[in-house]
Amino acid sequence: MEFELDLVSSVALTLALLLLGNWAARSWKIFSRFAIPGPVVGGFLFALVVLFLREALSFELTLDTTLQSPAMLAFFTTIGLGASLSLMRAGGKFLLIYLVACWGVAIFQNLVGIGLAKALNLNTLLGVMAGSVALEGGHGAAAAFGPTAEELGAQGATAVAIAAATFGLIAGSLIGGPLATWLIKHYGLDIKTREIEAIEETGIDETSEVEEGSLIATAALIGFIVVIGVFLGSWFGDVTGYSLPGYVGAMLIAIVFRNLNDKLGWFSLHGKSLSLISELSLGFFLTQAMMSLKIWDLYSLALPLFIILVVQVVALVLFVVLVVFRMLGKDYDAAVICGGMMGHGLGGTPNAVANMDAIGRRHGLQSRVGMIVVPLSGAVLIDIVALPWIVFCLNWVA
């Protein structure tokens, strides 16, 4: 038996599950402890219900996810609009070192995933899904790139990416704090943080409250950039034969616009409207991606996927301890940032911030450097290299 929800019903259900997931993420300790996003919680609970109906009652339930793609495009555009390269001056050399390390992790994770997938006789596209797509990229990138990999021939790619992102999110939250604490004790580090001066951003208003006019103007700008980005992706594919997803094109156009706008002052960006649209679009598209997850595609991939992810975790730990900690100066700030990198490198920026906050509370001092460097790199600047690299790897191994 099969039943399909129409567009209106699917949207209503998506919003209801987003509300449920956000409530559960705040209220249930198991979710709040690991900083699991509300859309992941709500959407995955529904996916479990769909799995039960399919396996126990032979009942197929499908959704109309037409609006998932526009929401995804809007989200990645807001990420691009937040990528002001002038902010790099605030983090100084720490930001540069950490950012280069993040780019290196993104490159390395995909190579590890591809290599292990070949060794385990899996589709190498699944190795990319279990690389920086799911780990440094988190659930957002997993939900975005999964369908692309499936179009290229990797059955179950979205389910693999989502599962890997969930594994990494939990692993990063469990390991980050203890690793930083071990570094502090092992090296007898003084509990002190470096001074850092933040700079005032240009071209963006972070003080005004959200109003109808500012919200519409911001939405119109995002829509304009999305149209150009989608056209760019389609044109690039036609000319080169190299698949460039529309959301990557939209993000790249947004980055260019933001940094030109900082210099030329074309458009007054409204920070709170941008944040609101970003949060809503991410919540909607990620909830729908989780809702339509085909968990049964993971049945035959559980053990090989687990092997790949364990190797990824061990490799990141060694890189953080042996390379990043030393490059950052082997002090308290370096240890805290390493704890953040475990959260970001395996899960996402919220996990990184949660790790650093927990480390700071335990030792009685928050790292001012870490709280600027890690979120700025992990939430925005990482994608300048990571997304094009993911696109290249998908086309390379397809």
Side-chain angles (χ1 to χ4, degrees), residues 120-168:
L120 295 168
N121 293 319
L122 296 179
N123 188 322
T124 47
L125 287 166
L126 299 181
V128 180
M129 294 298 101
S132 60
V133 170
L135 300 179
E136 272 202 325
H139 287 89
F145 281 104
T148 301
E150 289 175 352
E151 291 174 3
L152 293 172
Q155 183 180 357
T158 302
V160 167
I162 293 294
T166 303
F167 177 95

Side-chain angles (χ1 to χ4, degrees), residues 5 13-14 16-18 20-21 38-56 59-63 65 68 139 158-160 162-163 166 285-299:
L5 296 179
L13 179 60
T14 301
L17 289 170
L18 178 57
L20 172 65
V40 174
V41 176
F44 187 69
L45 290 176
F46 181 80
L48 290 176
V49 172
V50 172
L51 176 65
F52 171 79
L53 293 175
R54 181 180 188 272
E55 299 297 324
F59 184 85
E60 295 277 354
L61 180 62
T62 57
L63 307 170
T65 58
Q68 180 181 331
H139 287 89
T158 302
V160 167
I162 293 294
T166 303
F285 109 76
L286 189 50
T287 301
Q288 282 215 332
M290 296 297 298
M291 289 166 63
S292 54
L293 189 65
K294 298 178 180 179
I295 299 176
W296 48 91
D297 285 340
L298 286 173
Y299 290 167

Side-chain angles (χ1 to χ4, degrees), residues 379-397:
V380 180
L381 298 177
I382 175 65
D383 289 333
I384 296 174
V385 168
L387 290 188
W389 169 242
I390 290 169
V391 172
F392 170 79
C393 288
L394 289 175
N395 284 273
W396 173 37
V397 303

